[in-house]
Amino acid sequence: MANMRGFSLTASALALAVMIGGCGQQGTQDQQALLANSTSAAALPPLPDVQPLAAGPATPVRYAPGAAALPRVRPLGYATAPDDERYAWIDRADRISDTIGDAPPDYYFDYDEGVEPWGWETAGGYRTYAEPIDGGYRYYYYDPGADAPYLVRDPSYSYGYRDGRIVTVYDRGGRALSAYEASRRADEASRYYARARALRQASDTRARRGVVAAQWAARRATVAAGRAEWDRARADDAAWRAYRSRNEGAVDQRRFAEERQARAGAAQRFATWQGEGFRGQAPRLYAERAAQMQAQRQQQAGQQQAQRQQAEAAARQQADRQRFQQQQAAGRDPREQQRAAAEQQRNQQMQAQQRQQAGFAARQQQQAAQRQQADAARARPPIQQRPQQAPPQQAPQRFAERQQARQQAQQVGQQRGDQRRAMFAQRQQQQAARMQAQAQRPQAPQPQAQRRFEGPRPQPRFDAPRPQPRVEAPRPQPRMEAPRPQPRMEAPRPQPRMEAPRPQPRMEAPRPQPQMQAPRPMPQPQAPHIGGGDRGGGGRRDR
């Protein structure tokens, strides 16, 4: 029956697609939306992660610690939920409980030294854990993909959480407590929150095992009693009923209904096996669901293939229709249009080749012009003659300007060098003059002794050492400075070489004086050995 219903829906969708195939893009979008709705109407949620039930007798239950026995933790903060959302947390958990119903747990895992929490996972990813405690069960509810609970329930209270804070607390009858009453239960709420996070982590790391059928049969009534208690609380609480009616459209009722139907079937198969005394092999709780899903996948595959074929056919028809309309509008024969299209393609190819050739020729011309400029630059006369010519381009002119600037810079540098050398030569002359003056100072007593020896002769006129500065160290000595570019050798550094003590032996007065003191009259002082008349005669000859 299900296959016939799926076939009729597919046929209707295909017929509708054929009718609107030529209506353009909007028709295609409407077709896709209709097909999507048709497919989703028959869609089923995936199977839960279920472990097969295990045979064997029921064993004693090990209880989990109560709230006071749980480890102390840092108290969570309290943030009051808005009035119109105060029942959001308990209502969400109640919907999940109704969806699971009396279906056996999907698995259990070991935790806390022998405690065996039970776990259910819906097709949408919601998780519920139940661990036995003294007086009933403690339940933990998680959103898809969350590692922290949004609600924890014990036999007396229920605690709602959001973003690591306590937002609301409900009493056993489902009534939301005031902010003052809720804050007084922050310690229990904080301890439950920490244990819920630890349970969620353990469920992913510990091995999952199938629940013993006899154990579930013994405890099923307790779980069902807790669910029925919430049903009565919702019926008695007007605020809770008002919240559910306001948010009825925000919940995917269809998917929850499908999940509830599958869980109800599993509960019925378990009850049948229990009525048979658990004889034989444990039933596959969701076998019918698996067969339905296999048939659904095949049906969906056939529908998708038919949709693709229909869409391709509609696209071809639309393209043919458009080509025919264009041909009619142009008034041409199809063969002429083909020839025109081929001619247009050839023209485009020829234009592309011409553009390539033109680009290649332009590059060759540019390269030739660059070579000519380089040859002209090499054949150009020296820089001194360039100003007489008028460069035809700006590049040679800029080059000539740079050359001229460099020449000017060289001339300025040469002038500065000449000035430094002239200053250095002047300092050398001044140093030489100082040295000559120092050399003349010890010779001053010699002319006095000669005057005493020669008497009152006009020898003071031969104190000629005064003009000797002209004979002092040869002026060409500045040429010995040889390396003119030695302006780095500052004047103070060569001064030690020109110190007075070293050149004095070369400038001693006794050596040049014999040449300047008329040696011929020098023997005349010996006349007293011969006679005094000769002195007087000699004196007359001098006159």
Side-chain angles (χ1 to χ4, degrees):
M1 184 67 180
N3 293 337
M4 291 298 296
R5 183 171 60 256
F7 176 76
S8 61
L9 288 173
T10 304
S12 301
L14 294 177
L16 181 61
V18 172
M19 292 191 322
I20 64 176
C23 297
Q25 183 178 5
Q26 184 63 38
T28 304
Q29 294 176 354
D30 296 339
Q31 174 190 0
Q32 294 176 353
L34 177 61
L35 292 175
N37 293 333
S38 301
T39 303
S40 62
L44 292 174
L47 287 172
D49 183 12
V50 178
Q51 300 295 325
L53 294 172
T59 59
V61 177
R62 182 177 180 84
Y63 293 134
L70 291 176
R72 283 185 173 274
V73 295
R74 183 178 180 180
L76 299 176
Y78 182 81
T80 305
D83 292 340
D84 58 346
E85 296 182 4
R86 295 181 65 185
Y87 286 88
W89 289 264
I90 193 172
D91 187 70
R92 193 188 324 168
D94 182 55
R95 288 180 183 275
I96 298 299
S97 297
D98 288 343
T99 300
I100 295 172
D102 290 333
D106 298 337
Y107 56 87
Y108 84 91
F109 57 93
D110 293 327
Y111 183 75
D112 198 8
E113 299 180 357
V115 179
E116 298 178 355
W118 289 339
W120 292 266
E121 292 187 19
T122 68
Y126 292 93
R127 294 192 183 193
T128 301
Y129 299 144
E131 59 177 357
I133 60 174
D134 187 13
Y137 276 85
R138 187 163 56 220
Y139 300 90
Y140 305 86
Y141 299 89
Y142 304 81
D143 283 327
D147 58 357
Y150 65 85
L151 188 129
V152 176
R153 177 189 181 188
D154 66 12
S156 300
Y157 294 93
S158 300
Y159 305 87
Y161 307 91
R162 180 170 61 187
D163 299 333
R165 291 174 175 269
I166 307 169
V167 292
T168 185
V169 178
Y170 309 94
D171 62 10
R172 185 168 185 170
R175 181 182 63 87
L177 302 182
S178 64
Y180 173 74
E181 294 175 330
S183 61
R184 294 180 61 184
R185 310 210 59 83
D187 182 66
E188 292 83 352
S190 302
R191 298 188 189 197
Y192 286 165
Y193 187 81
R195 186 169 181 85
R197 290 178 63 90
L199 279 174
R200 177 65 178 82
Q201 184 178 4
S203 68
D204 290 338
T205 57
R206 305 291 177 86
R208 296 182 177 183
R209 298 180 175 90
V211 176
V212 177
Q215 199 80 14
W216 169 245
R219 307 293 295 181
R220 181 175 58 176
T222 305
V223 177
R227 187 174 62 256
E229 194 173 53
W230 267 3
D231 291 341
R232 290 191 299 270
R234 185 178 64 253
D236 296 339
D237 195 327
W240 188 350
R241 294 196 311 272
Y243 174 82
R244 174 163 289 195
S245 63
R246 288 196 308 270
N247 295 274
E248 197 70 34
V251 181
D252 189 356
Q253 297 294 339
R254 177 186 56 80
R255 183 167 294 276
F256 276 112
E258 294 168 353
E259 178 89 10
R260 187 181 300 108
Q261 182 180 359
R263 294 285 183 176
Q268 182 63 36
R269 277 184 284 277
F270 177 83
T272 302
W273 188 44
Q274 182 182 7
E276 297 173 354
F278 298 118
R279 291 191 300 270
Q281 188 177 4
R284 298 178 59 187
L285 299 180
Y286 300 96
E288 181 181 354
R289 176 71 172 282
Q292 291 178 356
M293 292 186 64
Q294 181 66 21
Q296 176 185 341
R297 284 193 292 268
Q298 295 177 357
Q299 181 181 357
Q300 289 178 353
Q303 291 178 356
Q304 291 175 359
Q305 183 177 2
Q307 292 170 12
R308 287 194 297 270
Q309 294 176 356
Q310 182 62 29
E312 292 175 357
R316 287 194 297 270
Q317 293 178 2
Q318 183 67 17
D320 294 340
R321 216 171 3 257
Q322 291 179 355
R323 285 195 297 270
F324 180 74
Q325 292 175 358
Q326 292 176 358
Q327 292 172 4
Q328 287 183 344
R332 295 180 180 178
D333 186 80
R335 289 174 294 181
E336 293 182 358
Q337 289 187 352
Q338 293 177 359
R339 286 194 296 270
E343 184 67 21
Q344 182 179 4
Q345 185 176 5
R346 285 194 298 271
N347 292 337
Q348 292 177 354
Q349 293 177 355
M350 291 178 61
Q351 291 177 1
Q353 293 177 357
Q354 291 176 0
R355 285 194 297 270
Q356 292 178 356
Q357 294 176 358
F360 180 73
R363 287 193 297 272
Q364 286 185 340
Q365 292 179 359
Q366 184 178 4
Q367 293 175 359
Q370 292 177 356
R371 286 195 296 271
Q372 291 178 0
Q373 292 179 2
D375 296 340
R378 286 193 295 269
R380 197 171 289 120
I383 299 175
Q384 291 80 0
Q385 299 178 3
R386 287 183 187 176
Q388 298 177 1
Q389 300 177 358
Q393 298 179 358
Q394 294 181 358
Q397 183 177 359
R398 288 195 299 269
F399 180 77
E401 292 176 354
R402 288 195 295 269
Q403 290 292 341
Q404 186 176 1
R406 282 196 292 270
Q407 288 180 359
Q408 291 178 357
Q410 291 176 358
Q411 291 176 2
V412 172
Q414 185 174 3
Q415 290 176 1
R416 293 178 179 175
D418 293 342
Q419 291 176 0
R420 285 193 295 269
R421 285 191 292 272
M423 292 173 64
F424 183 73
Q426 185 177 1
R427 285 195 295 269
Q428 291 287 342
Q429 292 177 4
Q430 293 175 359
Q431 184 68 19
R434 286 193 297 270
M435 290 169 55
Q436 183 64 27
Q438 292 176 1
Q440 291 177 2
R441 290 176 185 174
Q443 295 175 2
Q446 292 180 1
Q448 292 177 2
Q450 290 178 1
R451 283 194 299 270
R452 293 176 184 175
F453 181 73
E454 296 177 357
R457 292 185 180 180
Q459 289 182 359
R461 298 178 182 176
F462 295 96
D463 289 339
R466 294 180 180 176
Q468 284 181 3
R470 298 179 183 177
V471 188
E472 50 177 53
R475 293 182 181 177
Q477 283 184 358
R479 298 179 183 175
M480 298 303 292
E481 299 171 1
R484 291 184 178 178
Q486 286 182 356
R488 299 178 185 175
M489 301 297 293
E490 299 177 356
R493 293 181 182 176
Q495 284 180 3
R497 299 179 183 177
M498 301 301 294
E499 292 177 356
R502 293 181 182 175
Q504 281 179 1
R506 299 179 183 177
M507 303 299 296
E508 290 178 356
R511 292 181 182 175
Q513 283 178 2
Q515 298 177 1
M516 301 298 294
Q517 290 182 354
R520 292 180 182 176
M522 290 296 292
Q524 292 178 5
Q526 297 177 0
H529 297 284
I530 299 173
D534 290 338
R535 175 184 289 181
R540 287 191 295 268
R541 280 194 298 270
D542 291 336
R543 290 189 185 100

